[in-house]
Amino acid sequence: MDILKSLIEATEAEPFAEVNGHKIYDFQGAVNVTNRKLAEEKIGMKDIDLGDREVKDGGLGFKRSRADAVAVNPELFTMNRYRKVTDADGKTTYEVVTDYRAITEQKTGLIYKNAIPVFVIGKQGKGLTVLGVKNITDTEFVDEFRGALDVDSMKDVLRAIERHGVKEPAKEKLVF
């Protein structure tokens, strides 16, 4: 029993990010989550959750399996391009592009759309915040957005973007 308990403690996994309430792990973290759940079931600390899985026609397998953890490649999840902008007052902001397709097409010089959304990130108080969202042209993106933020910095930027959220326009009725 002590071996399994030590296995459970050794397989603690720190989520890489959290999106819509779901914890996101890197590949090793997802393996650790699965190993931990199996060890807990073997010890008897938790009931085995067989779930209600749909069976394929003929009963020879399941249509889909249940996932305990979502795994992503952190470098792809945080892929970005940025430029640093300093205004006349000396205030520094970062303009960050997170459009995966535009970033991968940047080296060809031919972007799939003419206007690319950019998050303007700045510091307010103790943390980062989204100061605004604007569009830039594809040629401006190709020519000026050459840098990339590291994974840890991009995690902070993604948290700020998530807090900012997407503002939906007000819904109005037609009145004639």
Side-chain angles (χ1 to χ4, degrees):
M1 285 292 214
D2 291 331
I3 295 171
L4 290 175
K5 286 185 180 180
S6 65
L7 177 66
I8 287 175
E9 291 172 5
T11 57
E12 289 271 344
E14 182 73 24
F16 166 71
E18 190 166 323
V19 176
N20 296 334
H22 297 288
K23 294 180 181 177
I24 309 291
Y25 298 93
D26 60 358
F27 295 115
Q28 185 58 47
V31 169
N32 288 348
V33 167
T34 303
N35 288 342
R36 181 184 178 101
K37 184 169 182 176
L38 288 173
E40 286 175 350
E41 289 173 353
K42 287 179 182 177
I43 288 177
M45 293 173 58
K46 214 174 194 183
D47 293 332
I48 296 175
D49 183 18
L50 298 175
D52 296 328
R53 298 193 296 180
E54 293 180 53
V55 179
K56 288 183 183 177
D57 293 335
L60 296 177
F62 297 107
K63 287 187 177 179
R64 68 183 94 77
S65 64
R66 295 179 46 172
D68 294 328
V70 178
V72 297
N73 183 342
E75 285 76 25
L76 291 179
F77 186 74
T78 59
M79 186 178 276
N80 66 85
R81 293 292 182 268
Y82 83 97
R83 73 175 169 191
K84 187 176 180 180
V85 178
T86 306
D87 63 4
D89 298 334
K91 185 178 177 185
T92 301
T93 59
Y94 290 88
E95 295 179 348
V96 180
V97 174
T98 59
D99 186 337
Y100 176 79
R101 184 171 173 188
I103 292 168
T104 56
E105 292 177 352
Q106 184 183 25
K107 61 185 170 193
T108 66
L110 300 171
I111 309 299
Y112 74 105
K113 60 183 179 179
N114 295 334
I116 299 166
V118 174
F119 293 98
V120 180
I121 307 293
K123 191 166 180 103
Q124 276 189 343
K126 294 183 180 180
L128 297 178
T129 186
V130 176
L131 300 175
V133 180
K134 65 180 190 176
N135 289 327
I136 58 167
T137 64
D138 55 347
T139 54
E140 186 178 1
F141 173 68
V142 170
D143 293 340
E144 298 179 22
F145 284 75
R146 292 292 180 188
L149 298 172
D150 66 342
V151 173
D152 293 329
S153 297
M154 197 56 197
K155 282 186 197 177
D156 296 334
V157 169
L158 290 174
R159 282 189 201 104
I161 292 171
E162 186 176 6
R163 279 192 311 269
H164 175 71
V166 177
K167 305 282 190 284
E168 290 291 327
K171 305 222 184 230
E172 298 178 11
K173 291 185 177 185
L174 291 175
V175 178
F176 292 103

